[in-house]
Amino acid sequence: MTAPFDVLSGQVVVVGSGLAGLMTALTLAPLPVVLITRGAIGAQTSSAWAQGGIAASLGKDDSAQLHLSDTLAAGDGLCDPQTANEIIANGPSVIAALERAGVCFDRDGRGTLVLGLEAAHSRRRIVHASGDGSGAAIIAALARAVANTPSITVLDATEVRSLLIHDGTISGLIVSKGEQTAAVMTNRMVLATGGIGGIYGATTNPMCNFGQGLALAARAGAQLADMEFVQFHPTGLDSARRPLALVSEAVRGEGAILVNDRGERFMSGIDGEELAPRDIVARAISSELSQGRRVFLDARGALGNRFALRFPTIHALCHEAGIDPAIDLIPVRPAVHYHMGGIATDLAGRSSIPGLWAVGEAASTGLHGANRLASNSLLEAAVLGVLAARDIHGTTHGPVRLAPRVSPVSAPDATFVRALVSRHLGVLRNAGALRKAVTTLLPLAETDGPAADPAIVALAIAVFAMLRKESRGAHARSDFPLKLPVAERRFMTLADVFDVARAETHSFARSA
């Protein structure tokens, strides 16, 4: 249902309608909730585009401990073990909760869940819905559940422009809907705004997702964590389509191999081969591309005519690009797919600002470390949505401040930032490129113009990357190719980021 802004005062506000936001809102019922979404429910979200599914230790040969071991290995020393253990342990129960909400996961003729295999998993543990259309099927089911939940008020086609803070705590937010700008007053808010792929030219994310939630939280003073760790999916479909279509890891899980234009299987001899962790595969493909070669996924021998049946969505995307995977090689290239960094939170989704929770890709819980294990993203989104909602249930309404007068705010635009980020913050980084990114982004981030919020997100990534003088997980530096002996997460506020960026800019100006 919908309602005017002034009657929503005091309700819990959830911003975002991907898996994390929808699970949060549904778990909060019957507590009144305002669900704010930029488009229609579930549209313009990465969750709806997810092909792989949800990782959960449900197989007879599997266990939470095995799943945890795989997660820690992929995270390259930077996972928070306690957080990872808790989220993974909740995997089976959250699959059951999703089924109760109406999600129909794929089962065989005996009614047993069909479990898929993906890169760096030691067991088949990926639960799918509608084959490679898992995300769309899950979001469609949850959107129906939201529509049937009277305690959830939906504000669609609505964008959040800023957060309101009073005495260091959340007091409300400024939203825009068409020509109308207004304040929604609340002291309990959940950001489930997704990732940062839209600040890159080559991404599998919706191009409009540039890290809005991170910018909002950063401006409000929240701590950010691990911003340098941007995961490039190794196999974006190399075509004219924007954003790039994703060729799921599950295709390699079914036996497809990577070859260059010489027909060489360049992953042969590398531990894990095509199913090595994503950072390793992405760097290997980038190395081939940097030498002027092309890279292809060869599914002809492994799947052949079965490709269309097993991966109907990917088959349709390939067909759109004039490719028949049964007989053709599939051209691929790395594309930004997931952000391990984000708003620093605890296991209940609480940020460093009282009254502000963050869940899903917008948050950084420590589960993923330096490199996310495949299909752990939807797992985290669902689990944290449930845990955050339970935590909010334990809070009190408290007094709500009167709404202030507000003025229209210009919509953000990531166009200029996108070109800069794509050039300097890619798969391989170095001091010169990072310095150029910092000095160019800083003046944009300090303004109130349309590029400011995307520039804040990009600047934070650049500063975090500049400070990490090592290569670990998804963060690779050609000038610091080795790992430091001790792995440490980093936490900074926007004020900290600005301080480092200004010092670097002044240092560069003096040396020029």
Side-chain angles (χ1 to χ4, degrees), residues 381-395:
V383 170
L384 261 293
V386 171
L387 296 181
R390 290 175 180 169
D391 190 57
I392 293 168
H393 267 298
T395 64

Side-chain angles (χ1 to χ4, degrees), residues 27 30 120 133 171 190 228 247 265 298 303 318 337 396 408 489 506:
T27 308
S171 61
V190 184
E228 67 270 41
V247 183
R265 187 181 176 187
D298 186 356
L303 289 160
C318 286
H337 186 56
T396 56
R489 300 182 68 197
H506 293 156

Side-chain angles (χ1 to χ4, degrees), residues 2 9 19 27 46 85 90 168 173 207 224 277 288 339 396 401 403 452 462 490 497:
T2 57
S9 178
L19 176 56
T27 308
S46 295
N85 181 67
N90 274 277
L173 64 161
M207 297 300 291
L224 304 177
E288 294 291 322
H339 189 211
T396 56
R401 297 181 60 79
R490 178 171 278 110
V497 168

Side-chain angles (χ1 to χ4, degrees), residues 146-449:
V146 166
N148 293 323
T149 305
S151 60
I152 301 175
T153 299
V154 176
L155 294 181
D156 59 5
T158 303
E159 296 192 61
V160 179
R161 298 295 186 219
S162 63
L163 306 187
L164 300 175
I165 302 291
H166 179 74
D167 288 341
T169 68
I170 287 292
S171 61
L173 64 161
I174 305 298
V175 299
S176 291
K177 183 179 176 70
E179 299 298 316
Q180 185 181 9
T181 300
V184 177
M185 306 309 291
T186 180
N187 50 27
R188 293 174 295 176
M189 184 189 315
V190 184
L191 292 176
T193 49
I196 52 89
I199 60 171
Y200 284 84
T203 180
T204 64
N205 300 163
M207 297 300 291
C208 53
N209 286 3
F210 65 80
Q212 291 94 322
L214 277 63
L216 292 169
R219 283 185 181 275
Q223 276 197 331
L224 304 177
D226 303 335
M227 289 291 291
E228 67 270 41
F229 294 107
V230 179
Q231 184 176 79
F232 289 76
H233 197 289
T235 52
L237 179 61
D238 194 2
S239 71
R241 192 183 212 268
R242 290 294 181 275
L244 294 184
L246 174 66
V247 183
S248 171
E249 229 154 58
V251 176
R252 281 174 279 142
E254 295 297 326
I257 61 173
L258 287 163
V259 297
N260 60 24
D261 50 15
R262 300 176 179 178
E264 298 165 338
R265 187 181 176 187
F266 55 88
M267 291 302 297
S268 180
I270 296 176
D271 189 27
E273 297 182 325
E274 277 78 11
L275 294 179
R278 287 178 172 175
D279 59 313
I280 295 172
V281 182
R283 286 201 290 271
I285 294 175
S286 294
S287 177
E288 294 291 322
L289 297 177
S290 70
Q291 298 174 63
R293 298 174 189 152
R294 297 192 70 194
V295 173
F296 303 89
L297 195 60
D298 186 356
R300 297 173 300 182
L303 289 160
N305 290 328
R306 294 188 299 111
F307 193 102
L309 181 63
R310 176 65 179 86
F311 300 106
T313 303
I314 301 172
H315 184 270
L317 292 167
C318 286
H319 186 265
E320 177 187 282
I323 300 160
D324 181 355
I327 59 175
D328 298 326
L329 296 172
I330 306 170
V332 294
R333 60 177 291 192
V336 171
H337 186 56
Y338 191 83
H339 189 211
M340 280 72 71
I343 303 162
T345 73
D346 64 12
L347 254 174
R350 289 180 180 246
S351 76
S352 59
I353 299 176
L356 180 65
W357 287 257
V359 293
E361 193 173 352
S364 182
T365 63
L367 167 66
H368 306 302
N371 191 43
R372 175 179 68 93
L373 182 66
S375 292
N376 267 358
S377 51
L378 293 186
L379 169 68
E380 181 187 45
V383 170
L384 261 293
V386 171
L387 296 181
R390 290 175 180 169
D391 190 57
I392 293 168
H393 267 298
T395 64
T396 56
H397 181 293
V400 177
R401 297 181 60 79
L402 294 175
R405 285 192 171 189
V406 296
S407 302
V409 181
S410 60
D413 183 358
T415 304
F416 179 77
V417 170
R418 186 176 295 130
L420 182 74
V421 169
S422 299
R423 190 178 311 121
H424 298 303
L425 295 173
V427 175
L428 286 171
R429 298 147 178 193
N430 60 66
L434 294 172
R435 183 180 297 115
K436 179 67 173 176
V438 168
T439 56
T440 309
L441 289 165
L442 177 61
L444 290 173
E446 291 179 311
T447 70
D448 289 323

Side-chain angles (χ1 to χ4, degrees), residues 60-94:
K60 292 181 179 179
D61 63 343
D62 201 4
S63 68
Q65 189 57 48
L66 282 172
H67 189 175
L68 176 62
S69 296
D70 291 343
T71 298
L72 297 180
D76 205 5
L78 216 67
C79 298
D80 182 309
Q82 180 181 352
T83 294
N85 181 67
E86 181 72 17
I87 292 173
I88 287 165
N90 274 277
S93 64
V94 86

